[in-house]
Amino acid sequence: MRKGWKMLAGVLGGAMLVCSGYEGVPVRAEEGGAVSAEEQSEKPAIQKATDLKWNEKGQGIFTNPNGTCGVRAYVYGPDGRKMTFNPGGTIPGGESVFDLYHLINESGAYTFEVYLENNSGSSTSERSAAFEYVKPDTKLPMPVVSVTKEGVVSCSLPENEGAGYALGTDYGFNYVLMLNGRPVVQAGRNESTFNFSKAMQSGGNYSVMVCTITRDFTKYVDSDWTEPIPVNPEAEAPKEEAPKQEVVEESGWQPTEEDMKMYSAYGLDEIVFTPDAGNTYEVTIENSIQGLMCFASFEAARGDYTIARTYNIYPSERGKVSQMEDKARITMTIPEVLWADGRSFRMICVTENGRPIVLEDLDSNAETITFETNAYYAFALTYRDGAKGRAKTR
């Protein structure tokens, strides 16, 4: 649990957890096949990001030599693990600074690379030089948290532990709103109060978790997370004469209904999969929030299936290529929370050019999905219940 939340905190430099994805146009889905290389538009590759470097604060700095681009950064830890920093949206040309220190956990050497994409194609930069991190011994104290029935969260440090820490300089707070136990909105802020009311819909089973996050990771590490604190959006509003709690309205972006759909498909489940022994290359699968247009392509192709999880899947050694000559066969364990009698699954791939491809389940095991693909980019695991679904056995 701790590891999953730490990885989720990789976007704390922005206003909220935001989405990624391509800027293409949804088109008709193809059943069970991949898009050939000839069908894809030939586009000149965009220039790679340059001048990659770290500063002493653990921020990654680089130059985008193109115009406006979509962007992701990949951080490689001392154990070789690859972590994704996904700020969402686009960046202009010129120098950018990413708060990559949110992905740094243990002492050791860290490098990063930058992936850029626009209508001309995509590119992945060379690796940066190494950043040597020495993990400090001081852990920030856990916050004292209160939540109103309207979704206003207030935090402070314990009186006996908070002396000497400056808000915004030494620490901030990481707020996570959960629906039915799954995170839907995240905000890392230097304010002690946060208002989730606009992100909640009536009738939802909402809860909040908070931790104290470091603003100087050379001195402090994040606190542990609080236990989930229930929120009751259905409760009667306080009477007018009752004392009002001071609220610092967050001035940034607020999630729309479409955003909430994208967040709900982001999983923290451990990804377990088995590649077929006959595959000619390895693949990587990552939990990922997909962008609005990408999600629209999933919607266009899903039919009467429900979108449950979204992923990035790509050839491990080739990076974010969208087409391979040979297909890979993959058997993936379905998250246990999605298991149900009579439920059938299939995967949808949306290619870099926005083409959705439906990949049928090739096995009869209710706990796994097996599919074959040589097209890569964004993927959605979908399911269907009832008589229309192909029965699977355990």
Side-chain angles (χ1 to χ4, degrees), residues 62-93:
F62 63 92
T63 298
N64 170 18
N66 310 281
T68 300
C69 288
V71 62
R72 290 188 293 272
Y74 301 107
V75 177
Y76 296 84
D79 58 356
R81 185 164 60 93
K82 180 179 180 180
M83 298 164 284
T84 302
F85 182 93
N86 196 341
T90 59
I91 59 169

Side-chain angles (χ1 to χ4, degrees), residues 153 155 173-176 185-187 191-194 196 209-210:
V153 186
C155 298
F173 294 110
N174 184 11
Y175 303 86
V176 174
V185 179
Q186 176 186 16
E191 288 93 21
S192 58
T193 308
F194 192 83
F196 278 120
M209 291 178 68
V210 184

Side-chain angles (χ1 to χ4, degrees), residues 57-319:
K57 297 180 179 179
Q59 294 173 308
I61 304 171
F62 63 92
T63 298
N64 170 18
N66 310 281
T68 300
C69 288
V71 62
R72 290 188 293 272
Y74 301 107
V75 177
Y76 296 84
D79 58 356
R81 185 164 60 93
K82 180 179 180 180
M83 298 164 284
T84 302
F85 182 93
N86 196 341
T90 59
I91 59 169
E95 187 175 270
S96 290
V97 180
F98 283 175
D99 292 338
L100 300 183
Y101 64 84
H102 290 298
L103 297 180
I104 296 178
N105 298 302
E106 302 298 333
S107 297
Y110 291 80
T111 60
F112 76 98
E113 61 190 16
V114 175
Y115 172 81
L116 299 175
E117 61 180 352
N118 61 19
N119 290 333
S120 295
S122 62
S123 64
T124 301
S125 72
E126 306 300 325
R127 294 269 191 99
S128 71
F131 176 82
E132 293 289 341
Y133 172 64
V134 178
K135 185 176 181 178
D137 295 327
T138 304
K139 178 183 285 190
L140 290 166
M142 285 180 61
V144 177
V145 183
S146 63
V147 183
T148 72
K149 51 196 171 185
E150 294 80 27
V152 178
V153 186
S154 297
C155 298
S156 62
L157 296 186
E159 290 185 6
N160 61 333
E161 299 180 61
Y165 294 109
L167 182 64
T169 301
D170 298 317
Y171 72 96
F173 294 110
N174 184 11
Y175 303 86
V176 174
L177 177 69
M178 295 182 292
L179 176 60
N180 298 324
R182 298 186 65 243
V184 291
V185 179
Q186 176 186 16
R189 291 301 175 87
N190 290 333
E191 288 93 21
S192 58
T193 308
F194 192 83
N195 188 353
F196 278 120
S197 62
K198 295 179 182 179
M200 298 190 303
Q201 300 176 3
S202 61
N205 180 20
Y206 291 97
S207 59
V208 168
M209 291 178 68
V210 184
C211 77
T212 311
I213 53 174
T214 180
R215 292 310 189 196
D216 188 342
F217 87 140
T218 65
K219 294 181 179 179
Y220 315 109
V221 298
D222 297 354
S223 77
D224 294 327
W225 287 87
T226 65
E227 293 296 319
I229 303 170
V231 182
N232 184 8
E234 293 295 309
E236 182 181 353
K239 297 180 180 180
E240 190 65 28
E241 63 269 22
K244 291 184 178 180
Q245 180 166 354
E246 181 181 355
V247 176
V248 179
E249 289 289 340
E250 67 107 4
S251 57
W253 168 87
Q254 287 286 353
T256 65
E257 182 178 349
E258 291 300 318
D259 294 326
M260 296 292 283
K261 290 181 181 179
M262 293 185 289
Y263 300 144
S264 65
Y266 176 81
L268 293 177
D269 323 278
E270 180 182 3
I271 296 174
V272 179
F273 71 98
T274 303
D276 189 86
N279 292 348
T280 58
Y281 53 89
E282 296 181 356
V283 298
T284 296
I285 303 179
E286 303 169 338
N287 289 311
S288 178
I289 294 177
Q290 300 301 338
L292 184 61
M293 295 303 294
C294 188
F295 210 84
S297 281
F298 291 143
E299 291 279 6
R302 70 179 177 85
D304 57 354
Y305 280 67
T306 298
I307 298 172
R309 294 287 189 274
T310 51
Y311 305 99
N312 287 335
I313 304 180
Y314 54 91
S316 303
E317 300 300 322
R318 296 286 300 277

Side-chain angles (χ1 to χ4, degrees), residues 3-21:
K3 177 181 177 182
W5 286 113
K6 181 65 178 180
M7 293 181 67
L8 186 62
V11 292
L12 294 177
M16 285 201 182
L17 181 63
V18 290
C19 56
S20 66

